[in-house]
Amino acid sequence: GSPITLPEEITIDIGIDLEEKYGLGVGGDYTGTANVGKVKVKNGQVTFNGQPLGNQEQQAISAACRDTYKK
């Protein structure tokens, strides 16, 4: 088959589940989640809320993702 073509830009929402972390959720129609920002990868540049990230910050995000998803 043909290889997968990646999009030119990848956006990842970063958030905190306050209900899980602090037990603040009320259930029902409401959630205890908070959106912190967006990580975007475009043309090899990684940004957080529009601010370029250096290598150290990119490594920290990668480590956090690996820890979260156990990969």
Side-chain angles (χ1 to χ4, degrees):
S2 62
I4 296 172
T5 303
L6 294 176
E8 289 184 25
E9 181 177 299
I10 298 171
T11 302
I12 304 164
D13 291 322
I14 305 293
I16 299 171
D17 186 342
L18 298 173
E19 180 174 9
E20 180 180 320
K21 188 168 180 112
Y22 301 109
L24 297 177
V26 294
D29 292 334
Y30 303 98
T31 64
T33 58
N35 187 8
V36 176
K38 293 183 184 289
V39 172
K40 288 187 181 184
V41 180
K42 184 175 181 179
N43 298 327
Q45 178 65 50
V46 181
T47 62
F48 179 73
N49 290 339
Q51 298 178 9
L53 298 181
N55 192 38
Q56 188 174 8
E57 291 89 359
Q58 291 179 43
Q59 289 177 2
I61 290 172
S62 294
C65 288
R66 280 192 301 274
D67 288 347
T68 298
Y69 297 106
K70 310 292 186 238
K71 293 183 179 185

